[in-house]
Amino acid sequence: MRRFYCLTFLILLLPLFSLGQADTVMICIGEQATLNSYPPGLFYSWESSTGTMNDTLPSLVVSPAVTTRYIRYTWVPDTTRELITNGNFEAGDTAFTSAYQYRTDDLTSEATYTVSNNPSFFHHDWSPCVDHTSGNGMMMIVNGDSAGYTSVWSETVSNVEPGATYAFSAWLQNVLKYETDPLRWPLLQFSINGSPLGDLMQTTNDNCQWMQFYILWPSGTNTTATISIVNRHLEPKGNDFALDDISFTPLIAIKDTFVVIVNPYPVVNLDPKMVVPYDGSITLDAQNPGANYSWSTGETSQTITINNITQNMTINVTVDQAGCQSSDEIFIGVECTEILVPNVFAPDKPPDNEIKVFGAGIDNLDFMIFNRQGEMVFRTKDQGIGWDGTYKGIDQPMDVYMYYLKAQCLSGGTIEKKGDITLIR
């Protein structure tokens, strides 16, 4: 349980310290960035270059549409200017006063205290709790009484600065083993110059669990401060606790600057489809000079040239510009060359003893030859197979034959062609 007492108008009175160079975060448009940095503080506020902000969290998730500067103000105690002399009690029973009686043997009587490292040494119902500072150091161990507004701990600070803001902090734990009644749990309050400040400080039933309490105090015109922790307990039983790491320091505001740079995604515009001649070449440009490129061919330059293209292919590229990536692809189709069928062939005279379809870039082929009576004497779908002048194993006579072919180019286009073939022997 952490309690705060905060007056927002005090912010303008605090000294301001800057952490120096701005932290730079780069995102792609539409992405988010989490802004956070050291040190942690008591409370926070934010402002941005694009407008005011009401956020008071230590970290901020932003998704700006344009590059934006953010400033976080973190209010922290200036620990280099600690004003409490023996706040961790390592110097024993010194530098502070108490309305309770100091004892070095046992604390079974109310309104008594000691400074030690183990409460169980002083009361049979207390646990062997450890101090907050190091786990083996000293702390103030108290058997509180039921008289309200009794000063358990107090110290007067004489070098208070007028017009400043101070953080008064203490750690409190319950040392009693078995008390389950909240009315009997320790109940304390901060006080400065006799005036109670902030909410009451109360532990839970979990003994040996340190809890921190904070209060902010504006010094106003004061130059001295009598700082006290006051018992507010009204029950005759319970109220057994330990105090440690009492602190009273001026508050400072630390300014931390973030610049969120918003980068657009690169625009990559390869044509969705291009047709090139068989065995031709093509040059592709991914645009966006200065970016990083990754082509499916393995190349990494802005432009690439593909030579001797004899089959269809799909090429893709990824462009990375300042961490923002875009991709595109292109289908490259191969055109058919001119398709030729010889109009004369002599099957008995090599090497022209077959009639074939000539041409490149052909994907699908249907080649048919008919005699004068319209009977189909040859058909193939394989460009590498030609007619040898026979039909059903019988040499066909010299005559004029008709052919018809239908071919699909690698690029996707379709060609139909027909004509005469003269067979001679």
Side-chain angles (χ1 to χ4, degrees), residues 216-233:
L216 301 184
W217 179 69
S219 61
T221 60
N222 290 286
T223 58
T224 62
T226 298
I227 308 164
S228 302
I229 298 177
V230 178
N231 182 16
R232 291 292 304 272
H233 201 278

Side-chain angles (χ1 to χ4, degrees), residues 139-200:
M139 55 189 153
M140 183 180 184
I141 305 167
V142 182
N143 186 336
D145 68 3
S146 58
Y149 298 98
T150 303
S151 176
V152 176
W153 174 96
S154 184
E155 181 177 341
T156 298
V157 175
S158 60
N159 52 345
V160 171
E161 297 178 5
T165 301
Y166 289 83
F168 185 16
S169 169
W171 290 84
L172 172 67
Q173 71 174 347
N174 180 9
V175 299
L176 186 59
K177 293 180 181 178
Y178 310 114
E179 185 57 70
T180 60
D181 186 354
L183 295 177
R184 295 178 179 177
W185 296 345
L187 190 64
L188 305 174
Q189 188 171 37
F190 289 130
S191 173
I192 295 183
N193 292 338
S195 299
L197 294 178
D199 297 330
L200 299 181

Side-chain angles (χ1 to χ4, degrees), residues 323-373:
C324 302
Q325 293 185 351
S326 297
S327 298
D328 198 11
E329 66 178 25
I330 180 174
F331 172 81
I332 301 173
V334 178
E335 288 182 334
C336 295
T337 60
E338 183 179 2
I339 295 178
L340 298 175
V341 177
N343 58 4
V344 177
F345 88 111
D348 301 327
K349 297 179 180 179
D352 299 324
N353 58 344
E354 284 187 343
I355 190 76
K356 293 182 178 180
V357 177
F358 294 91
I362 298 174
D363 189 17
N364 294 304
L365 173 69
D366 192 2
F367 179 43
M368 295 170 283
I369 299 176
F370 303 88
N371 60 23
R372 195 180 291 273
Q373 290 74 38

Side-chain angles (χ1 to χ4, degrees), residues 94-172:
T94 63
F96 67 93
T97 62
S98 177
Y100 287 0
Q101 181 185 4
Y102 177 69
R103 301 287 295 273
T104 59
D105 45 12
D106 108 341
L107 298 180
T108 55
S109 299
E110 292 186 347
T112 57
Y113 77 95
T114 192
V115 176
S116 179
N117 61 1
N118 191 334
S120 67
F121 293 161
F122 301 90
H123 199 297
H124 60 276
D125 286 335
W126 292 356
S127 298
C129 306
V130 298
D131 85 317
H132 174 260
T133 310
S134 62
N136 56 15
M138 309 296 280
M139 55 189 153
M140 183 180 184
I141 305 167
V142 182
N143 186 336
D145 68 3
S146 58
Y149 298 98
T150 303
S151 176
V152 176
W153 174 96
S154 184
E155 181 177 341
T156 298
V157 175
S158 60
N159 52 345
V160 171
E161 297 178 5
T165 301
Y166 289 83
F168 185 16
S169 169
W171 290 84
L172 172 67

Side-chain angles (χ1 to χ4, degrees), residues 167-388:
F168 185 16
S169 169
W171 290 84
L172 172 67
Q173 71 174 347
N174 180 9
V175 299
L176 186 59
K177 293 180 181 178
Y178 310 114
E179 185 57 70
T180 60
D181 186 354
L183 295 177
R184 295 178 179 177
W185 296 345
L187 190 64
L188 305 174
Q189 188 171 37
F190 289 130
S191 173
I192 295 183
N193 292 338
S195 299
L197 294 178
D199 297 330
L200 299 181
M201 303 181 294
Q202 185 173 36
T203 67
T204 66
N205 185 40
D206 298 327
N207 64 340
C208 300
Q209 298 296 317
W210 286 106
M211 302 170 63
Q212 187 181 28
F213 295 88
Y214 261 112
I215 195 74
L216 301 184
W217 179 69
S219 61
T221 60
N222 290 286
T223 58
T224 62
T226 298
I227 308 164
S228 302
I229 298 177
V230 178
N231 182 16
R232 291 292 304 272
H233 201 278
L234 301 177
E235 290 292 322
K237 295 182 179 181
N239 195 26
D240 303 318
F241 58 91
L243 292 168
D244 202 5
D245 288 339
I246 300 172
S247 174
F248 187 73
T249 61
L251 205 62
I252 57 174
I254 297 177
K255 177 183 177 182
D256 195 7
T257 302
F258 305 83
V259 176
V260 180
I261 298 176
V262 181
N263 294 311
Y265 287 96
V267 177
V268 186
N269 188 21
L270 302 177
D271 290 334
K273 179 178 180 180
M274 293 188 71
V275 176
V276 299
Y278 184 87
D279 205 29
S281 64
I282 188 173
T283 297
L284 304 177
D285 187 349
Q287 302 96 40
N288 305 283
N292 294 317
Y293 309 90
S294 178
W295 294 88
S296 57
T297 60
E299 294 166 278
T300 57
S301 56
Q302 177 182 332
T303 61
I304 63 171
T305 299
I306 305 172
N307 296 309
N308 308 119
I309 301 173
T310 59
Q311 59 184 6
N312 293 347
M313 62 181 64
T314 298
I315 303 296
N316 60 68
V317 64
T318 297
V319 179
D320 185 313
Q321 195 163 49
C324 302
Q325 293 185 351
S326 297
S327 298
D328 198 11
E329 66 178 25
I330 180 174
F331 172 81
I332 301 173
V334 178
E335 288 182 334
C336 295
T337 60
E338 183 179 2
I339 295 178
L340 298 175
V341 177
N343 58 4
V344 177
F345 88 111
D348 301 327
K349 297 179 180 179
D352 299 324
N353 58 344
E354 284 187 343
I355 190 76
K356 293 182 178 180
V357 177
F358 294 91
I362 298 174
D363 189 17
N364 294 304
L365 173 69
D366 192 2
F367 179 43
M368 295 170 283
I369 299 176
F370 303 88
N371 60 23
R372 195 180 291 273
Q373 290 74 38
E375 185 179 14
M376 185 170 62
V377 298
F378 177 75
R379 185 175 188 178
T380 185
K381 295 181 180 293
D382 186 343
Q383 189 180 356
I385 297 176
W387 185 42
D388 62 359

